[in-house]
C-alpha cells in the first residue's frame, strides 16, 4: 500500500505557522519556561527546522514580537483612514488598539511582559513597538491638531501610548470592559486635554 506524499508547505506559510504557535506557547508558559521541543511538536516539525528558520529561541521570540508590531501598526493606521476630524481619528485609533489587545491577547502578552527581557534584544523590540505607535500618533496629531511644535506633539503621543498601555493592563483585570468602553474611558481623559488644539 502506497502512502501519498504530504505536500510541502510554502516557506512563508510555515514560518507564519511557527510564529503563531510560538506566540501561544510563549504567552502561556513565559519565555524562560517555553520549550523549543514543545513548539516544534505542536507545529509538527523537527526542532532543527525551528532553528533553521529562526537560529535560536530568542530569534523566534523576536520574530513573534515583530509580527505583532506589524499587525498593530496596520490596524491602527487603517483605523484612522477616512476620519472626519481630530476627535474621530483619535477615537478610531484608540478603538483599534483596544480591539487588538482583546482579539490578539497572546500577542499583547508578549509586548507587555518586558521585565523578564530587560537587557536583551527582545526588550529593544518591545520599545521599538512603543516608538512605532508614538510616531503614528504624532503624525496623526500633525494632521488634525495644532500642536505648536514637534516636541509638543511627540510628548503628547508618548502620553497617549503610556496611558493606553496602563489602561490595557487594567482591562485584563476587568474582562467585562469591552474595547468600546475602554475607548470611551480613554477619550474622557485624553480628549479633554487635546480638544483645545483640534483643527
Amino acid at each position: 500500500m502506497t502512502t501519498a506524499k504530504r505536500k510541502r508547505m510554502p516557506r512563508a506559510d510555515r514560518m507564519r505557522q511557527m510564529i503563531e504557535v510560538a506566540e501561544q506557547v510563549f504567552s502561556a508558559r513565559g519565555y524562560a519556561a517555553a520549550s523549543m521541543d514543545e513548539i516544534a511538536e505542536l507545529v509538527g516539525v523537527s526542532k532543527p527546522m525551528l532553528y533553521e528558520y529562526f537560529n535560536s529561541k530568542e530569534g523566534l521570540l523576536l520574530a513573534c514580537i515583530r509580527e505583532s508590531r506589524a499587525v498593530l501598526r496596520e490596524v491602527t493606521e487603517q483605523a484612522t483612514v477616512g476620519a472626519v476630524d481630530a476627535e474621530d481619528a483619535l477615537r478610531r485609533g484608540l478603538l483599534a488598539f483596544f480591539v487588538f489587545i482583546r482579539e490578539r491577547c497572546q500577542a499583547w502578552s508578549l509586548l507587555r511582559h518586558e521585565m523578564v527581557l530587560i537587557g536583551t534584544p527582545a526588550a529593544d523590540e518591545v520599545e521599538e513597538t512603543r516608538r512605532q505607535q508614538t510616531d503614528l500618533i504624532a503624525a496623526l496629531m500633525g494632521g488634525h491638531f495644532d500642536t505648536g511644535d514637534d516636541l509638543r506633539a511627540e510628548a503628547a503621543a508618548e502620553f497617549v501610548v503610556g496611558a493606553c498601555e496602563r489602561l490595557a493592563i487594567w482591562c485584563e483585570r476587568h474582562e467585562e470592559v469591552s474595547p468600546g468602553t475602554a475607548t470611551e474611558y480613554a477619550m474622557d481623559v485624553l480628549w479633554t486635554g487635546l480638544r483645545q488644539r483640534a483643527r
Side-chain angles (χ1 to χ4, degrees), residues 161-172:
V161 169
C164 287
E165 274 191 31
R166 292 305 309 170
L167 185 57
I169 292 169
W170 176 82
C171 285
E172 291 182 352

Side-chain angles (χ1 to χ4, degrees), residues 4-17:
K5 287 183 71 174
R6 195 168 63 178
K7 188 177 178 182
R8 284 178 59 86
M9 183 179 290
R11 184 177 179 86
D13 292 343
R14 176 65 76 192
M15 183 175 288
R16 196 174 303 112
Q17 180 190 34

Side-chain angles (χ1 to χ4, degrees), residues 34-172:
S35 158
M36 291 290 269
D37 288 301
E38 180 183 7
I39 294 169
E41 183 179 348
L42 290 171
V43 174
V45 299
S46 65
K47 187 163 75 168
M49 182 177 280
L50 273 183
Y51 283 99
E52 178 187 332
Y53 275 70
F54 302 102
N55 296 318
S56 64
K57 185 167 83 165
E58 183 178 61
L60 181 52
L61 175 65
L62 294 178
C64 289
I65 294 172
R66 288 169 186 150
E67 172 69 15
S68 297
R69 183 168 69 236
V71 173
L72 179 58
R73 180 185 182 96
E74 182 179 0
V75 299
T76 50
E77 275 188 323
Q78 289 301 312
T80 60
V81 172
V84 298
D85 56 24
E87 183 177 9
D88 186 37
L90 181 61
R91 181 175 277 108
R92 286 175 179 226
L94 291 173
L95 181 59
F97 171 73
F98 289 114
V99 168
F100 172 85
I101 66 166
R102 175 63 61 90
E103 294 182 350
R104 297 284 303 265
C105 58
Q106 291 163 334
W108 166 243
S109 176
L110 286 181
L111 293 176
R112 78 171 184 80
H113 286 119
E114 66 187 286
M115 291 307 293
V116 295
L117 306 173
I118 286 176
T120 71
D124 294 337
E125 290 292 336
V126 171
E127 183 57 29
E128 181 58 32
T129 301
R130 287 196 185 95
R131 286 197 294 269
Q132 166 190 284
Q133 295 307 109
T134 299
D135 290 346
L136 283 172
I137 293 166
L140 171 68
M141 287 179 170
H144 290 282
F145 295 89
D146 291 317
T147 54
D149 58 61
D150 291 343
L151 277 179
R152 183 181 290 274
E154 189 177 333
E158 291 281 358
F159 181 84
V160 172
V161 169
C164 287
E165 274 191 31
R166 292 305 309 170
L167 185 57
I169 292 169
W170 176 82
C171 285
E172 291 182 352

